[in-house]
Amino acid sequence: MKGMIMKKLIAGNWKMNGNETGAIDLAQDITSGLSSDPSLNQYCDFLVCPPFIHLAAVREILKSGQSIMLGAQDCTSHENGAYTGDISANMLKDFGCAQVILGHSERRTFHRESSELVAEKAAMAHQYGLTAIICVGEDEHEREKKQHEKVVAEQLEKSLPASATSKNTVIAYEPVWAIGSGKTASPLDIEEMHRFIRDELQEKLENSEGLRILYGGSVKPGNAREIFAIDNVHGALIGGASLKANDYLAIAQAAVPEEFLKQVNM
Ligand code: PGA
């Protein structure tokens, strides 16, 4: 998007990792790293999404003043009631979460979540004032068959609820074959897909210009600067590398123009 500077969203998806002590240590290391380089906040917004059971412990650490948003990795499409094991958008908002990841490929695969269900969850997230990070992305087979744009177009079409706006929605493009595999999409592939998503959003939503599109899939300190330099990349959804405070912060540093870069002392 030309002419408009957006802070990069540095979103950590902790997935189902660690124990409570580990979550506390990680949150503490991130907050102290950020306090030693407050200029990172000029270029980045920060979000961490721990497992549900560690949200409370992490919330205590984040209270200490750093502007790091708390997020969840899923919510239900139901409002409240007899849904054993589920967590509602209302509960997440009440708890202090700002954002929720929806339709991650691991949920689409292991929980057979359809795009229609993702749209219902996102509508509920919006109703309760949460930002929905809606994940899309093709698998390896679809990429080989050159069906990636068709697949992503269909996911976007079906996963975005009517309530989606540039303020309450973020799209995360995560090619499934790049997640946790160490393989990253090439800069050209990322550029083409993010441009494609931008065009699709323009057709679907009014005022879609400000809607962030994140890249996810094996983002690490070594490739983040190159990825952040690509047009229409407004941040990253980071899995494995977000479990190490040093790597997470180094990825954020990659969003800072080189001339302003300071060493983060951890
Ligand atoms: P990864 O995961 O960074 O470990 O590839 C990204 C994600 O699944 O969101």
Side-chain angles (χ1 to χ4, degrees):
M1 201 175 33
K2 304 258 182 295
M4 189 168 160
I5 296 175
M6 261 193 254
K7 282 189 185 183
K8 302 282 194 240
L9 178 61
I10 312 297
N13 174 10
W14 295 4
K15 305 194 182 185
M16 196 182 71
N17 287 296
N19 55 19
E20 188 168 323
T21 311
I24 290 170
D25 288 348
L26 179 53
Q28 255 159 0
D29 288 348
I30 292 171
T31 42
S32 60
L34 270 181
S35 60
S36 68
D37 189 357
S39 70
L40 283 177
N41 281 308
Q42 275 178 255
Y43 299 97
C44 305
D45 288 326
F46 293 93
L47 172 74
V48 292
C49 302
F52 286 128
I53 200 158
H54 299 148
L55 279 168
V58 172
R59 181 178 64 176
E60 280 312 299
I61 310 293
L62 302 190
K63 269 186 189 162
S64 70
Q66 292 305 319
S67 48
I68 303 172
M69 291 179 282
L70 192 60
Q73 299 173 19
D74 183 40
C75 71
T76 174
S77 59
H78 303 290
E79 185 122 29
N80 59 58
Y83 300 101
T84 303
D86 280 342
I87 304 277
S88 71
N90 190 9
M91 289 170 178
L92 294 177
K93 182 68 183 178
D94 178 59
F95 186 82
C97 288
Q99 309 212 0
V100 57
I101 300 170
L102 295 173
H104 189 282
S105 66
E106 285 150 17
R107 294 208 63 87
R108 289 179 188 263
T109 305
F110 304 133
H111 296 267
R112 297 193 174 81
E113 290 193 4
S114 65
S115 290
E116 289 79 1
L117 178 62
V118 174
E120 284 175 30
K121 291 182 173 196
M124 204 51 90
H126 293 156
Q127 186 177 322
Y128 288 100
L130 293 166
T131 295
I133 302 181
I134 298 177
C135 303
V136 297
E138 80 285 357
D139 66 23
E140 194 154 29
H141 182 68
E142 291 159 344
R143 168 64 66 170
E144 275 162 12
K145 298 227 151 196
K146 304 211 182 317
Q147 290 171 341
H148 45 286
E149 289 190 348
K150 182 171 165 277
V151 168
V152 168
E154 191 176 322
Q155 287 175 336
L156 283 173
E157 177 63 30
K158 294 186 178 160
S159 307
L160 263 87
S163 53
T165 68
S166 60
K167 296 211 163 50
N168 65 16
T169 304
V170 172
I171 300 297
Y173 168 57
E174 300 202 303
V176 178
W177 47 272
I179 295 176
S181 64
K183 293 188 215 165
T184 326
S186 74
L188 184 62
D189 288 346
I190 297 174
E191 184 178 338
E192 285 177 355
M193 183 56 90
H194 280 235
R195 157 62 48 204
F196 178 75
I197 292 172
R198 169 67 57 217
D199 291 345
E200 290 288 304
L201 292 172
Q202 225 150 35
E203 274 180 34
K204 200 173 156 52
L205 302 180
E206 275 175 37
N207 305 322
S208 65
E209 301 78 36
L211 197 151
R212 275 172 163 151
I213 308 171
L214 312 183
Y215 171 77
S218 298
V219 176
K220 30 188 190 266
N223 59 23
R225 186 165 290 278
E226 187 178 31
I227 292 171
F228 288 156
I230 299 170
D231 267 358
N232 292 303
V233 173
H234 311 115
L237 184 55
I238 311 153
S242 74
L243 297 172
K244 292 190 194 130
N246 276 318
D247 285 359
Y248 178 76
L249 292 166
I251 290 169
Q253 280 187 309
V256 178
E258 240 147 15
E259 58 272 32
F260 300 117
L261 200 55
K262 282 197 221 148
Q263 196 57 43
V264 174
N265 299 311
M266 298 209 32

